[in-house]
């Protein structure tokens, strides 16, 4: 029995997570459907794993900020350290490493897991989100990088976005490391600190960034700033010593930029200040940015990580992929009016002029369902006008009324609620008269 004096429980969900009412679920399903459709066009196959992982999985290479400040971790009843996954990459690397001998490479795998990070909830950042992960394993050449970036671009286009709506910023970890050591001549320790600072560049005021930069690299601060602000790959190369032209990372970037420019893409650009916070990236890294000045933020990103499987003691398997969150993409599509209008699952609402006819309506609904229609029917003794109002509120596109005349003549009026158009058809033609709008 409930203690009457007890304060009623809150109906709010836990901080930073969402309930998905049917309208929200409709959007989520739409996002997932587009993601799935696009990655499957490229032959990607779906995998999944548990949300629970041993905490040590993330200690090696996920990066300090996530591991120390953002994981949901606990000790289970058997004394094991457990973490709710803060990203999918270590899990999929573990799965690939476990069966590396038996799998047929290259693998093209995708998943849409929910991810947990203890972050300060704000626009675009929650404590639970869903994230499409698409990754290729066992393909070391830049063809795989190009495929992954093309998929990211294709998903954006399939959502209805144009090149003007988003930018794909690209950098290369190996090139960045070479700039640190061979061009700037700084130590590994300085390079680590510099990479972390550059990663936070967009979040810091210019002056603060410059001061911290000077603390790390002294009088080389202006050179670093120049590099960070270079707009094109050719300008950056012109600035660097000639030996850089022979580097593999430079050849890879050339290949990527020339492929996209030949395709006519105008939004694939170099960003020498792009780092991405994970320690496991080894090659190309990229991030997709919203071009709306009011929402100039990263929508999603990824990169190449050729050595992550080594943490499992197996041979390194080259890999490249990205993670695309549902929160940022939903906000992006909403601000650009690119989300579909909500429709109920049902195509048709069957009304009855009298509750004694509900049995007949059941029979008709059953027949129509066998023909592929999704049918909801009135079970109440409400007036027909009220039943139609309900159908309208539920965003069910069509109604058909079952009354004595209809049952006798076997002729029914199919009404389109959006246009108020009505056509009369024979019972066996109802399913053909219903043209359901595609979401
Ligand atoms: P990430 O950049 O940490 O990369 O996350 C990828 C995307 O997930 C972000 O760009 C954003 O869309 C979304 N996201 C991340 N954290 C949150 C949050 N707290 N709330 C809402 N959305 C969020 C990774 O996780 C890499 N493991 C991706 C990857 C796959 N790299 C290679 N393969």
């Amino acid at each position: 029995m409930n203690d009457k004096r007890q304060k009623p429980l809150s109906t709010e969900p836990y901080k930073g997570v969402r309930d998905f009412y049917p309208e929200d679920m409709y959007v989520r399903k739409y996002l997932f459907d587009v993601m799935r459709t696009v990655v499957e066009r490229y032959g990607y196959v779906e995998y999944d794993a548990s949300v629970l992982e041993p905490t040590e999985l993330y200690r090696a290479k996920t990066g300090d900020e996530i591991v120390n400040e953002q994981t949901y971790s606990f000790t289970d009843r058997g004394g094991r350290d457990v973490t709710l996954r803060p990203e999918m990459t270590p899990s999929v690397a573990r799965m690939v490493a476990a069966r590396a001998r038996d799998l047929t490479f290259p693998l093209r795998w995708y998943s849409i897991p929910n991810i947990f990070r203890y972050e300060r909830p704000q626009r675009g950042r929650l404590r639970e989100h869903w994230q499409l992960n698409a990754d290729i394993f066992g393909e070391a050449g830049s063809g795989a990088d190009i495929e992954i970036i093309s998929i990211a671009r294709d998903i954006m286009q399939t959502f209805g976005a144009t090149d003007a709506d988003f930018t794909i910023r690209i950098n290369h970890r190996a090139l960045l490391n070479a700039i640190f050591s061979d061009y700037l001549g700084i130590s590994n320790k300085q390079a680590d600190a510099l990479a972390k600072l550059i990663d936070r560049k967009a979040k810091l005021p210019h002056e603060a960034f410059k001061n911290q930069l000077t603390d790390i690299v002294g009088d080389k601060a202006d050179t670093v700033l120049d590099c960070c602000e270079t707009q094109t790959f050719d300008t950056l190369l012109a600035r660097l010593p000639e030996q850089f032209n022979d580097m593999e990372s430079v050849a890879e970037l050339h290949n990527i930029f020339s492929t996209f420019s030949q395709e006519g893409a105008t939004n694939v650009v170099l960003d020498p200040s792009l780092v991405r916070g994970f320690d496991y990236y080894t090659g190309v890294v990229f991030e997709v940015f919203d071009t709306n000045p009011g929402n100039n933020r990263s929508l999603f990103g990824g990169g190449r990580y050729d050595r992550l499987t080594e943490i499992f003691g197996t041979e390194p398997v080259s890999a490249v992929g990205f993670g695309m969150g549902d929160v940022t993409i939903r906000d992006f599509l909403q601000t650009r009016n690119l989300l579909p209008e909500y429709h109920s699952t049902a195509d048709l609402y069957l009304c009855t002029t009298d509750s004694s006819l509900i049995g007949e309506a059941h029979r008709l609904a059953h027949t129509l369902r066998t023909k592929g229609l999704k049918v909801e029917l009135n079970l109440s003794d409400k007036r027909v006008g009220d039943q139609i109002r309900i159908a309208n509120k539920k965003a069910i596109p069509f109604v058909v009324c079952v009354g004595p005349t209809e049952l006798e003549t076997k002729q029914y009026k199919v009404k389109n609620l959006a246009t108020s158009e009505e056509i009369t058809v024979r019972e066996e033609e109802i399913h053909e008269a219903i043209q359901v709008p595609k979401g």
Side-chain angles (χ1 to χ4, degrees), residues 344-368:
S344 163
T345 306
D347 308 319
L348 170 65
Y349 193 82
L350 275 190
C351 303
T352 35
T353 55
D354 189 284
S355 57
S356 64
L357 299 180
I358 289 173
E360 292 291 348
H362 269 303
R363 182 198 55 77
L364 178 59
H366 177 74
T367 310
L368 294 173

Side-chain angles (χ1 to χ4, degrees), residues 95-365:
M95 289 167 67
V96 171
R99 302 230 177 133
R101 280 163 193 264
D102 309 321
L103 291 165
T104 308
F105 291 95
L107 309 174
R108 289 181 164 87
W109 281 11
Y110 82 93
S111 188
I112 313 182
N114 53 344
I115 302 286
F116 300 86
R117 291 187 192 172
Y118 190 80
E119 294 203 57
R120 188 170 64 78
Q122 53 189 295
R123 185 172 165 80
R125 283 278 172 269
L126 295 176
R127 290 185 173 173
E128 181 190 29
H129 73 278
W130 273 257
Q131 194 190 85
L132 166 70
N133 277 248
D135 295 85
I136 305 187
F137 290 89
E139 200 56 79
S142 58
D145 304 318
I146 291 170
E147 178 170 310
I148 285 293
I149 298 167
S150 299
I151 293 175
R153 202 161 165 259
D154 201 343
I155 294 176
M156 293 300 283
Q157 289 171 340
T158 309
F159 276 130
T162 65
D163 278 11
D165 294 320
F166 67 98
T167 311
I168 303 180
R169 299 190 192 167
I170 299 182
N171 200 8
H172 200 298
R173 277 284 184 93
L175 175 64
L176 204 60
N177 289 339
I179 291 177
F180 291 163
S181 59
D182 304 348
Y183 178 53
L184 297 173
I186 58 177
S187 68
N188 285 350
K189 204 171 149 218
Q190 280 173 307
D192 276 351
L194 183 56
K196 288 205 166 73
L197 178 66
I198 294 178
D199 193 36
R200 290 172 45 235
K201 182 170 175 285
K203 294 182 189 150
L204 291 171
H206 186 72
E207 268 315 294
F209 176 72
K210 206 171 162 191
N211 291 341
Q212 292 185 37
L213 189 59
T214 310
D215 288 346
I216 301 170
V217 295
D219 57 6
K220 290 173 184 150
D222 282 335
T223 317
V224 176
L225 268 180
D226 268 0
C227 278
C228 283
E229 276 151 23
T230 310
Q231 301 275 340
T232 71
F233 186 44
D234 291 339
T235 331
L236 179 71
L237 276 189
R239 213 169 274 249
L240 297 171
E242 225 177 281
Q243 85 239 29
F244 275 73
N245 285 316
D246 304 326
M247 283 174 40
E248 214 179 304
S249 55
V250 167
E252 286 171 3
L253 284 175
H254 259 309
N255 193 15
I256 293 170
F257 287 120
S258 66
T259 304
F260 284 103
S261 105
Q262 275 160 28
E263 272 181 26
T266 52
N267 60 344
V268 181
V269 299
L270 174 81
D271 180 355
S273 69
L274 183 73
V275 177
R276 289 192 48 77
F278 297 99
D279 295 344
Y280 49 67
Y281 289 124
T282 52
V284 164
V285 282
F286 73 96
E287 241 162 52
V288 177
F289 271 76
D290 190 344
T291 51
N292 178 351
N295 186 40
N296 197 350
R297 55 162 57 235
S298 165
L299 296 171
F300 64 99
R304 177 169 280 284
Y305 52 103
D306 284 345
R307 310 185 63 124
L308 185 53
T309 52
E310 283 178 2
I311 65 174
F312 306 102
T314 50
E315 290 287 301
V317 177
S318 49
V320 54
F322 68 88
M324 175 184 211
D326 67 323
V327 182
T328 41
I329 194 64
R330 185 188 166 135
D331 288 348
F332 170 87
L333 296 174
Q334 199 155 34
T335 52
R336 286 182 158 74
N337 261 333
L338 288 173
L339 285 176
E341 211 179 296
Y342 173 76
H343 287 288
S344 163
T345 306
D347 308 319
L348 170 65
Y349 193 82
L350 275 190
C351 303
T352 35
T353 55
D354 189 284
S355 57
S356 64
L357 299 180
I358 289 173
E360 292 291 348
H362 269 303
R363 182 198 55 77
L364 178 59

